[in-house]
Amino acid sequence: FHTLTSRYYSLEIMLSNASILRKAATTAIRRSMATEAAHKPPLNLYGLNARYANATYIAASKSNTLDQVESELLAIKNSATTSKAFSSFLENPLISRDDKTKNVEDMLKGKTSSVTLNLMTVLAGNARLSSIVGITDTFIQLMKAKRGEVEATIISAEPLNKTMTAAVQDAMKSQFPTGAKVVLKSEVDPSILGGLQIQIGDKFLDLSVGSRIEEVGRTAV
């Protein structure tokens, strides 16, 4: 009887421990899933540039350096588009991957975040440094989505004054989600003759005089 009782209690303890382990494992998995979700990019973007941008976003989010990485990538993009020497270095296929990696480390180590340095060295090792401008643009797209920013571009034949710009903004409010941060840009294109063209994200509204003249011409024919 004593032996049976001991076995019973041993079995009970084992089952209790197993239950505790299951609960601990479940809790750990849930926490891991919550952590991954917290750092997930806000948009589902695909392609080569997006693959690097997504990985960089996740790494920067986990290290709480998203804003810093954004600023660093913009600075690198600016150098890539304004410096012929830097642009040539990025695009030159005659420089070996090892040499490019070493040059990148010499240029950026201790001057940028580890996330930006890691991205640039990975690109150098994969012979993809020439893609940094596109990767940066995609990363900025993710950051704008994170901040809830919506880009809108107003194209007019002549520069709009403050009163006209404010009137257009008020008229466009209904087109944006509640709470959205609207980043408004103005461009001048004399070829539209008059009226406005409005670009909101991937939506385009043509209210220009030029387009109406074309429409009338097509109708007349």
Side-chain angles (χ1 to χ4, degrees), residues 89 94-107 124-125 129:
F89 164 72
L94 300 179
I95 303 175
S96 71
R97 299 185 183 194
D98 289 343
D99 285 344
K100 280 196 172 184
T101 300
K102 184 179 184 306
N103 286 332
V104 165
E105 289 178 342
D106 290 342
M107 282 188 288
L129 278 175

Side-chain angles (χ1 to χ4, degrees), residues 123-194:
L123 291 176
N126 293 340
R128 297 287 186 186
L129 278 175
S130 59
S131 299
I132 187 58
V133 172
I135 292 169
T136 298
D137 289 340
T138 304
F139 185 85
I140 299 305
Q141 190 177 351
L142 294 175
M143 289 298 292
K144 287 180 178 178
K146 176 184 178 295
R147 290 189 288 260
E149 294 179 0
V150 179
E151 281 193 354
T153 302
I154 301 173
I155 304 170
S156 57
E158 297 179 353
L160 300 178
N161 58 36
K162 291 183 179 179
T163 302
M164 296 172 68
T165 301
V168 173
Q169 282 181 308
D170 288 339
M172 292 170 60
K173 280 183 179 178
S174 62
Q175 301 298 317
F176 302 114
T178 303
K181 301 174 184 176
V182 182
V183 180
L184 189 63
K185 297 190 297 183
S186 297
E187 295 181 5
V188 176
D189 181 2
S191 69
I192 70 173
L193 302 180

Side-chain angles (χ1 to χ4, degrees), residues 8-24:
Y8 172 77
Y9 280 119
S10 296
L11 179 60
E12 189 176 50
I13 291 172
M14 289 174 62
L15 291 174
S16 177
N17 288 339
S19 177
I20 292 171
L21 288 173
R22 281 197 300 271
K23 288 180 180 179

Side-chain angles (χ1 to χ4, degrees), residues 37-146:
H39 301 299
K40 182 180 179 182
L43 296 175
N44 294 320
L45 301 178
Y46 304 95
L48 180 66
N49 290 343
R51 188 171 67 193
Y52 286 105
N54 287 335
T56 302
Y57 182 95
I58 292 171
S61 179
K62 288 182 177 180
S63 60
N64 196 31
T65 56
L66 279 170
D67 291 336
Q68 180 182 351
V69 171
E70 179 183 25
S71 177
E72 291 168 351
L73 290 182
L74 283 173
I76 292 172
K77 175 188 174 181
N78 182 61
S79 295
T81 54
T82 58
S83 169
K84 290 184 178 180
F86 187 56
S87 177
S88 177
F89 164 72
L90 295 176
E91 298 177 5
N92 192 341
L94 300 179
I95 303 175
S96 71
R97 299 185 183 194
D98 289 343
D99 285 344
K100 280 196 172 184
T101 300
K102 184 179 184 306
N103 286 332
V104 165
E105 289 178 342
D106 290 342
M107 282 188 288
L108 302 180
K109 197 167 186 178
K111 300 174 184 176
T112 66
S113 65
S114 60
V115 175
T116 298
L117 176 61
N118 183 64
L119 169 64
M120 293 297 288
T121 53
V122 168
L123 291 176
N126 293 340
R128 297 287 186 186
L129 278 175
S130 59
S131 299
I132 187 58
V133 172
I135 292 169
T136 298
D137 289 340
T138 304
F139 185 85
I140 299 305
Q141 190 177 351
L142 294 175
M143 289 298 292
K144 287 180 178 178
K146 176 184 178 295

Side-chain angles (χ1 to χ4, degrees), residues 190-208:
S191 69
I192 70 173
L193 302 180
L196 298 172
Q197 290 180 335
I198 301 172
Q199 179 90 38
I200 303 175
D202 58 355
K203 297 179 181 178
F204 184 74
L205 181 62
D206 193 345
L207 303 175
S208 66

